[in-house]
Amino acid sequence: MSGPSRVATAVLATVVIACGKSPRPSGGAAQVATPEAVVMSTVTLFFPGDDGLLEREPREIADLPESGPARIRVILAELLAGSQNGRAPVLPWTATIHAAFVDRTGNAYVDLSAPPAGTVEGTATETALVYAIVQSVVANCQGVERVQLLFDGTEVTSLGHLDLSRPLVPRPELVAP
Amino acid sequence: MRRLLTLLAVLAIALLARGVLAETILTPQGPAEVFSRGGQFDLAEVLRLTGAEVQFAAAAGSYSAVLGQREVQFTPGGTLAVVDGRLTALPTPVRLVDGRPLGTAATAEALLSALGWTLRQGARGWEVAALGGGERLQVSVVRDAGGTLIVVRGTAQEPRVILTPGQVGLLFAAPVALAEPIRPDGELTGGELNGPLLTLRLKDGVAVSSSYALPDPPRYVVRLGGEAQAAVVPLAPARRAGPLVVLDPGHGGEDQGAKGPASELEKSITLAVARATAARLQAAGVTARLTREGDDGVSLGNRTALANQLQADAFVSIHANAYRGKAVRGAETYYMSVDASDADAAAAAAAENVDAAPDTVQLILWDMAHVANLNASARLARSIQERFNELQGIKDRGIRQAPFVVLTGATMPAALVEIGFLSNPADARRLTSATGQEELAGVLAEAVLAFLRSREPAAEAGR
């Protein structure tokens, strides 16, 4: 299946799932707010290191959704918020997360605001930023095996070098030992 | 019920968004249905409306349409086509969608015109028609003081002349018809029309001295005389005597690539190194072609398409790197990355698609051919990286795999070399100096030559 078709199918599947799980009104019964304990989860994020390889960084996140697009969005938000250990930002531009969705075959789609022209220079920069996202999403979202980056809602062939027209699998050799 | 209606509505919207249509195109044989999506046509189906034989050639990664003696090749993902051996640009890229080569009407028209046909939209909708229809040729023999001429009247076309011993072929761009049979007359012993090819048979010992078009009335003249030519002018390009390497200077045009400390541009550095490398390869007897000769913007797909269409022995993409940490330096070489799942999927698809359309099977075989090139690509990458490591002061960043666009489409051993970091002061000095660039080119040429020498004899014999 081609890239656009995959995306269309993924969107369709996501919409269908969302339709099927739409919560119904509770029938007017009063909801009583009860204090709940905050559940902390530990995830592993990947940031570009000094030598071009990705460095692991554990992160405690409160009330992390168990799965699905909501979990991906939280992971991405933490990643784009930056390193707490002084490592370089993942993206060399201020990006917005437009959307995240998952299809039934283990592909996650991440839609970000597009980089301004000339922002991403060099394969080392491009490889680090793309695989920081791929590694972080796959490592922390069960069932996700591949990640495709979209920019401003559309597929792109490349940011200059890497083939982004289809979902990418993690590349462990890009992670520092 | 509400969920069912929602599902149906979503499906309807999805189908509309995909714009799946069967477009009706009028042909001389009547209306025909052609797959169309989002205003783009299945180019293979459109070309077949002319009676052309259309196939996907796995070795070249290209579609080939043959009609009579005319042939046009085009590559999914690119905007290049080869018309009778000549490279030409298409108006818009050919996209591969669900195993179909899709293109705009303008691209379909460009491909059709290469076969002597046209696609136009009239009052009755889309129509495919032969160009120059109605041209009826009259062949006669005229003698003047200078000798004998064969005059072909009834056309303003300037055909391609094909000389073979004992006959001359006139290949017209558009289909033509004979107004009357060719009558033997002196040096002209006969002839016939086969599609767009008019063949004129000549008496033993008679040769063609020149040929040219004349206006008022439009006609084409073949002047006879001189000794018979033994040489055959083939339709197909001559086979290469030696290896051919395509060098790809990264970036170009508006895409400047990375910038050095004094705003030196990656696109200029890669071009300089590619030119110097090509010169060294040529001196060693290897034909070297560049994907861009100057500061031109060339799409990633077209860079690989050129190498595929030339059936190059090796493809090397040259880049200069950049990173935020200025301490990062060194050279690294990449070759194609194929996920294990890709190879498995291709093999499974081949097994499941024994009844699939020939194009589909060929596409799968093409994917598998990419996988088969992995070992040779790894050897090419190793040859490059090992020689860069011998350069004084260079840091070995190793051989790596990554799904770079220019590598994934190549149907020959292919590598992408990062010849240093423009963001590192020491590397930048080497990259931006003329002596440094010559040094890098020398190493790269040596690496490519070593790779070519290391190939198995079977690879040479198969050429």
Side-chain angles (χ1 to χ4, degrees):
Chain A
M1 188 182 285
S2 69
S5 305
R6 277 196 307 265
V7 175
T9 309
V11 172
L12 182 61
T14 309
V15 172
V16 171
I17 291 165
C19 289
K21 290 187 177 175
S22 293
R24 289 168 181 269
S26 59
Q31 298 256 335
V32 179
T34 55
E36 292 179 6
V38 173
V39 178
M40 299 301 290
S41 305
T42 304
V43 300
T44 302
L45 303 177
F46 294 80
F47 289 93
D50 292 339
D51 59 357
L53 292 176
L54 299 173
E55 302 277 354
R56 292 180 178 84
E57 185 171 311
R59 178 80 49 95
E60 292 277 318
I61 300 176
D63 293 332
L64 181 66
E66 276 190 19
S67 63
R71 185 178 176 99
I72 294 175
R73 283 192 81 117
V74 173
I75 297 288
L76 278 175
E78 289 289 338
L79 188 67
L80 300 191
S83 166
Q84 293 174 349
N85 296 338
R87 295 191 176 98
V90 170
L91 302 180
W93 75 98
T94 306
T96 307
I97 305 166
H98 292 320
F101 44 96
V102 190
D103 71 12
R104 295 165 195 261
T105 63
N107 295 325
Y109 299 85
V110 171
D111 182 15
L112 302 171
S113 55
T119 310
V120 182
E121 288 186 5
T123 56
T125 301
E126 187 179 326
T127 303
L129 83 83
V130 168
Y131 282 98
I133 294 172
V134 173
Q135 304 282 152
S136 296
V137 171
V138 172
N140 298 296
C141 301
Q142 198 172 12
V144 174
E145 296 171 4
R146 294 167 291 272
V147 179
Q148 180 168 5
L149 272 63
L150 312 175
F151 292 100
D152 289 340
T154 58
E155 278 188 341
V156 297
T157 303
S158 179
L159 287 177
H161 306 88
L162 287 169
D163 181 359
L164 302 182
S165 66
R166 58 182 182 167
L168 298 172
V169 295
R171 305 201 69 81
E173 71 272 20
L174 297 178
V175 180
Chain B
M1 187 61 185
R2 202 169 132 197
R3 287 177 62 185
L4 181 62
L5 287 172
T6 306
L7 179 60
L8 287 172
V10 169
L11 279 170
I13 290 167
L15 284 172
L16 283 173
R18 286 163 62 103
V20 179
L21 294 169
E23 191 75 56
T24 300
I25 297 182
L26 298 174
T27 76
Q29 288 76 40
E33 297 280 308
V34 167
F35 181 90
S36 167
R37 177 185 289 178
Q40 303 212 13
F41 296 97
D42 183 325
L43 297 171
E45 288 188 3
V46 171
L47 288 166
R48 287 190 183 107
L49 297 179
T50 67
E53 187 180 342
V54 184
Q55 289 184 324
F56 184 80
S62 303
Y63 280 86
S64 163
V66 178
L67 182 63
Q69 298 294 316
R70 308 297 305 269
E71 179 176 17
V72 57
Q73 293 170 289
F74 57 97
T75 307
T79 53
L80 289 177
V82 178
V83 178
D84 292 335
R86 295 185 305 275
L87 209 56
T88 184
L90 295 172
T92 55
V94 177
R95 296 178 61 219
L96 195 63
V97 178
D98 293 344
R100 295 173 181 271
L102 297 189
T104 60
T107 293
E109 161 64 15
L111 294 171
L112 284 168
S113 66
L115 298 178
W117 286 69
T118 184
L119 175 69
R120 57 193 173 213
Q121 193 169 28
R124 297 185 301 162
W126 290 104
E127 185 179 4
V128 162
L131 278 170
E135 282 194 342
R136 296 172 68 78
L137 308 181
Q138 287 179 298
V139 180
S140 58
V141 176
V142 176
R143 292 179 179 83
D144 64 10
T148 303
L149 304 98
I150 300 175
V151 181
V152 182
R153 293 183 175 85
T155 181
Q157 297 183 59
E158 189 161 352
R160 184 174 172 190
V161 180
I162 304 160
L163 299 178
T164 52
Q167 63 185 36
V168 54
L170 301 181
L171 183 62
F172 291 89
V176 288
L178 277 176
E180 56 193 24
I182 297 172
R183 285 191 297 272
D185 184 354
E187 293 90 335
L188 178 65
T189 59
E192 63 275 326
L193 183 69
N194 182 10
L197 179 65
L198 175 65
T199 302
L200 305 170
R201 284 193 294 278
L202 307 176
K203 201 171 170 179
D204 283 350
V206 174
V208 173
S209 63
S210 63
S211 62
Y212 44 87
L214 289 174
D216 304 323
R219 59 202 189 276
Y220 196 76
V221 176
V222 178
R223 183 172 285 279
L224 305 178
E227 296 297 315
Q229 297 181 4
V232 173
V233 180
L235 255 181
R239 288 172 67 85
R240 294 196 310 269
L244 185 150
V245 172
V246 171
L247 299 173
D248 171 39
H251 309 277
E254 290 182 0
D255 174 12
Q256 301 180 333
K259 293 174 201 68
S263 295
E264 301 95 336
L265 301 178
E266 180 186 358
K267 65 174 182 177
S268 306
I269 294 165
T270 58
L271 183 59
V273 172
R275 281 176 174 162
T277 307
R280 287 164 187 264
L281 290 175
Q282 300 272 22
V286 174
T287 305
R289 290 281 302 271
L290 304 189
T291 55
R292 62 182 177 96
E293 299 289 344
D295 184 18
D296 310 310
V298 181
S299 76
L300 295 170
N302 278 349
R303 292 166 193 258
T304 320
L306 176 68
N308 288 347
Q309 285 167 352
L310 292 172
Q311 297 188 28
D313 295 273
F315 174 78
V316 179
S317 188
I318 303 167
H319 288 257
N321 219 333
Y323 197 63
R324 267 172 288 194
K326 295 197 186 315
V328 179
R329 62 188 177 87
E332 59 195 6
T333 310
Y334 289 86
Y335 65 101
M336 183 177 67
S337 155
V338 176
D339 301 338
S341 56
D342 289 349
D344 293 345
E352 290 167 5
N353 282 279
V354 288
D355 297 326
D359 286 353
T360 308
V361 174
Q362 289 292 302
L363 282 167
I364 293 165
L365 290 174
W366 188 32
D367 276 348
M368 295 177 83
H370 286 174
V371 179
N373 268 326
L374 267 182
N375 286 342
S377 295
R379 283 194 294 111
L380 173 62
R382 189 163 60 244
S383 181
I384 293 170
Q385 189 62 32
E386 281 176 357
R387 276 154 187 84
F388 269 86
N389 290 345
E390 292 168 5
L391 273 177
Q392 193 177 7
I394 202 106
K395 183 186 176 188
D396 175 16
R397 288 180 57 82
I399 302 163
R400 301 179 180 198
Q401 285 180 272
F404 290 127
V405 178
V406 291
L407 299 183
T408 50
T411 56
M412 75 288 301
L416 183 151
V417 57
E418 293 284 356
I419 57 178
F421 277 77
L422 268 171
S423 48
N424 174 265
D427 276 7
R429 275 194 294 278
R430 190 199 302 264
L431 289 166
T432 56
S433 74
T435 51
Q437 290 169 359
E438 280 294 330
E439 187 181 28
L440 293 165
V443 168
L444 190 51
E446 198 180 304
V448 171
L449 290 171
F451 167 75
L452 293 174
R453 282 194 298 268
S454 73
R455 293 184 306 169
E456 292 178 14
E460 283 292 333
R463 291 193 47 74

